[in-house]
Structure formats: structure tokens, C-alpha cells
């Protein structure tokens, strides 16, 4: 199981990636991926295309999604793997989660206008492949394209993060609901990139405990945002909380992503890969 090149986290133009599901499947195959999942933010519209493209290039496929959750006044991402993409409660929950985005994007545009950056809403929307899903990533691409910022790192340092112009807090799904929708759709819920959150030790403990109490079963250990010491730390968490481990590049774009599809190190042998519990949910190429 450990030697399968699984990449179970990335984004297409259906959310905030720059490649189509078909281009991602081709690229994943070309970079050695064997088991793939497209995990667009709060949206399943890309799943039939991804599954069909995976089959045509010869990749095993798991349906996926990355759900935005509010927890302790921060945003946490919960990946769902092996979900039934026709599940009505999941589809409705995701539609509800997406529904505030247009209003939030307008408010982000107004917040940037107040510091002298006009036209951001229209600019970000023009970068979005899905009008339902205007994200901070699209604002970031526009801010770079206009020369206001050097790169995405510069954007998030100066704008779009708590306390900075362009940041608008949003109430996303609850942890209980997100994990419940994923489980109800036959999938496994995964805490995405845990090192990215700015929680105290107590808050992080509460996240893992509540996630488990709701039936969450896995944590991303290998992911682009994790340093070697983050990996070591969350190996410890996976063992401590009895969680399965996942591996995903979180690839968004050839121009922006530091880690290529399929290029992360394997999971450490002490951990059980999440895909070992999802064998019957895999669409075989
Ligand atoms: P949103 O869901 O609209 O809040 O946008 C969140 C997205 O912004 C994430 O999925 C990332 O793709 C991107 N993002 C957030 N923080 C950063 C960062 N510091 N650097 C680059 N991209 C980021
Ligand atoms: Mn993203
Ligand atoms: Mn994420
Ligand atoms: Mn992601």
C-alpha cells in the first residue's frame, strides 16, 4: 500500500486551480501518479470529468472534495475521499457552503477599494472558472497580474489574511456537518494540511478530538505545506489519535505550486494509508 503513488489532493478550474480536470489527469499520469483524487473546494462539478479523464489516461480514481469549515474562529479544510458524488445531503451541504461566496467577494472588493485598489471584484471574477466559486486565490492572481503584488506570497502577507485589507471573515460549514456529509456519502473525512492552522495546542487538541468524535478518520501527513518537521509532528498525531494518513500535493497551478503532482515523499511505514480503507471505493482504470 505504501508504495502506491497516491496524490489525493489538488484543484482544477472548477475551484481555484488553473488546469482543467482533463489536464490534471494527464499531468498526474505523466508525473507517475497511480491513484488520484481531484478535491475542488466545496464543489463536485468536476468529479465526472475527473473520473472519466482518469480512466482514459489509466489512473485509479477516488472521488474527492475539500470542504471549508469554521472552527475556533479560523478556517479549517476537511477533505472527503471516496464519496458518492450523487449523495443529496452532501450536494446540498456544499451548495449551502458556497452560497455566501458572491457576497463575500463583493465585500472583499470593497475592502480593497477602501485602501485605493479599485476593480478587484471584477478582476477576481474574471480569473474564476466557476462564478459560484470566487476565492481568495482569484483575488491573489488579479493582484499579481496588475502588479500590485509580486507573487501570491506577497499577496497573502499584505492582503486577504486576518487583519489585512481585503480579508472578510466567512462562516463556513461546521466541523460536525462537514464530517457528517462525507460519512453519509460513504467517504472518509481527512483533516487537510494541519500545520497551516494557527491554533494553540489546546485548540489543535480540540480539533482532533472533535473530528474523531464526529467520525473523522484520517489526517494529511504528506502535503506541500508541510516541512519535514511538520511531517514528523503529524506522524505523531496520526499515531496518538489512531488516524489513517493521507498524501496530497494540494497542486493548484504549474506556475504557483511548489510541489508537483505525485512528487511528495511516501508516507512513513508506521502509518496506515487512508487508501487502504478505500479499496472498494476506487474506480479502477
Ligand atoms: P478562500 O476559500 O476564498 O478563503 O481561499 C482559500 C484559498 O486561498 C486556499 O485554498 C489557497 O488556495 C489560497 N491561500 C490561502 N492562504 C494562502 C497563502 N498564504 N499562500 C497562497 N495561497 C493561499
Ligand atoms: Mn485553494
Ligand atoms: Mn486547503
Ligand atoms: Mn486544497
Amino acid at each position: 500500500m505504501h508504495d502506491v503513488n497516491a496524490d489525493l489532493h489538488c484543484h482544477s478550474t472548477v475551484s481555484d486551480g488553473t488546469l482543467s480536470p482533463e489536464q490534471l489527469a494527464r499531468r498526474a499520469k505523466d508525473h507517475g501518479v497511480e491513484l488520484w483524487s481531484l478535491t475542488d473546494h466545496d464543489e463536485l462539478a468536476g468529479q465526472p470529468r475527473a473520473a472519466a479523464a482518469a480512466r482514459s489516461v489509466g489512473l485509479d480514481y477516488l472521488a474527492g472534495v475539500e470542504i471549508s469549515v469554521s472552527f475556533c474562529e479560523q478556517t479549517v479544510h476537511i477533505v472527503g475521499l471516496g464519496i458518492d458524488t450523487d449523495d443529496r445531503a452532501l450536494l446540498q451541504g456544499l451548495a449551502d457552503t458556497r452560497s455566501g461566496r458572491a457576497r463575500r467577494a463583493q465585500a472583499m472588493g470593497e475592502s480593497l477599494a477602501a485602501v485605493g485598489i479599485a476593480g478587484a471584484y471584477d478582476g477576481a471574477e474574471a480569473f474564476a472558472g466557476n462564478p459560484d466559486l470566487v476565492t481568495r486565490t482569484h483575488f491573489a492572481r488579479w493582484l499579481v497580474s496588475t502588479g500590485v503584488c509580486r507573487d501570491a506570497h506577497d499577496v497573502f502577507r499584505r492582503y486577504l489574511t486576518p487583519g489585512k485589507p481585503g480579508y472578510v471573515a466567512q462562516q463556513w460549514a461546521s466541523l460536525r456537518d462537514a464530517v457528517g456529509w462525507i460519512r453519509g456519502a460513504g467517504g472518509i473525512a481527512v483533516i487537510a494540511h494541519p500545520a497551516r492552522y494557527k491554533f494553540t495546542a489546546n485548540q489543535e487538541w480540540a480539533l482532533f478530538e472533535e473530528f474523531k468524535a464526529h467520525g473523522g478518520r484520517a489526517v494529511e501527513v504528506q502535503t506541500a505545506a508541510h516541512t519535514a518537521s511538520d511531517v514528523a509532528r503529524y506522524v505523531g498525531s496520526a499515531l496518538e489519535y489512531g488516524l489513517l494518513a493521507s498524501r496530497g500535493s494540494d497542486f493548484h497551478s504549474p506556475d504557483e505550486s511548489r510541489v508537483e503532482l505525485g512528487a511528495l515523499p511516501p508516507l512513513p511505514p508506521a502509518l496506515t494509508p487512508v487508501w487502504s480503507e478505500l479499496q472498494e471505493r476506487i474506480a479502477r482504470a
Side-chain angles (χ1 to χ4, degrees), residues 9 11 41 66 77 192-193 196 250:
H9 187 160
H11 300 274
H41 296 288
E66 183 175 21
H77 285 168
H193 44 62
R196 277 184 53 173
D250 204 2

